[in-house]
Amino acid sequence: MAESVVLDPVDLHLLRLLQNDARATYRDLAAQVGVAPSTCLDRVTRLRRSGVILGHRLELDPAKLGRGLEALLSVQVRPHRRELVGPFVERIRALAESRTVFHLTGPDDYLVHVAVADMADLQRLVLDEFTSRREVARVETRLIFQQWECGPLLPPSPSAQSG
């Protein structure tokens, strides 16, 4: 498990601002936080180096790219051994349809979020890329009707970190 990083109120304010607008300039961020732009740059650089800031993402609309059907695939791998699951995960991650792969506890080993063109494309994906693999014991498919983002992951307040 990764170690947490001690964040002061300025760091927390910067993170909250960047979560809402990752393209904000250092000058604008510095003005909102009340520090010099060079200080702002140093702090954001430190937050990147320490692994608090992982990167920047561009979000695409799957439906507008011809992948309007999304599903969650619960996958059971047998036997569940590193020499089998490593190549399985890499293969699934390489599929253009894969959005996210989770390694789980419980009866299912993986949950894979996929985006496909239609039901026939989903069937092709499940049959050709999942159930055809020797290590895959079972796949259960759940269609996603709608999803909502839950907002940015705000860092805890400084008082929560010290307690």
Side-chain angles (χ1 to χ4, degrees):
M1 194 161 128
E3 283 187 36
S4 63
V5 175
V6 177
L7 304 170
D8 68 17
V10 173
D11 293 330
L12 293 171
H13 195 177
L14 284 169
L15 290 171
R16 285 184 175 96
L17 292 169
L18 285 168
Q19 284 185 128
N20 291 320
D21 182 6
R23 297 185 311 172
T25 66
Y26 291 116
R27 182 180 315 253
D28 290 341
L29 290 170
Q32 291 181 65
V33 175
V35 298
S38 60
T39 301
C40 182
L41 172 62
D42 291 343
R43 283 179 173 261
V44 172
T45 300
R46 180 179 52 80
L47 290 166
R48 280 193 181 106
R49 284 191 183 135
S50 66
V52 172
I53 296 175
L54 298 175
H56 306 279
R57 288 184 348 156
L58 175 69
E59 285 190 57
L60 303 174
D61 183 340
K64 291 192 171 137
L65 297 172
R67 295 193 179 165
L69 180 65
E70 294 186 63
L72 296 172
L73 307 179
S74 299
V75 182
Q76 207 175 62
V77 174
R78 294 292 176 259
H80 193 190
R81 292 195 317 248
R82 187 174 302 276
E83 64 270 12
L84 292 176
V85 299
F88 170 77
V89 169
E90 289 311 309
R91 173 64 188 139
I92 298 312
R93 289 184 68 212
L95 294 173
E97 298 88 352
S98 294
R99 308 254 346 247
T100 311
V101 180
F102 299 94
H103 191 190
L104 309 171
T105 63
D108 297 314
D109 300 310
Y110 295 93
L111 184 64
V112 184
H113 178 191
V114 299
V116 294
D118 53 29
M119 200 61 87
D121 197 26
L122 179 60
Q123 182 181 26
R124 177 207 50 82
L125 180 71
V126 170
L127 292 175
D128 295 348
E129 301 295 345
F130 286 85
T131 60
S132 66
R133 296 185 62 89
R134 275 186 301 225
E135 68 273 25
V136 173
R138 185 179 66 78
V139 175
E140 190 172 303
T141 304
R142 291 178 178 85
L143 298 179
I144 298 173
F145 291 138
Q146 194 170 3
Q147 70 184 52
W148 296 267
E149 292 295 323
C150 294
L153 173 67
L154 296 175
S157 65
S159 60
Q161 285 187 331
S162 60

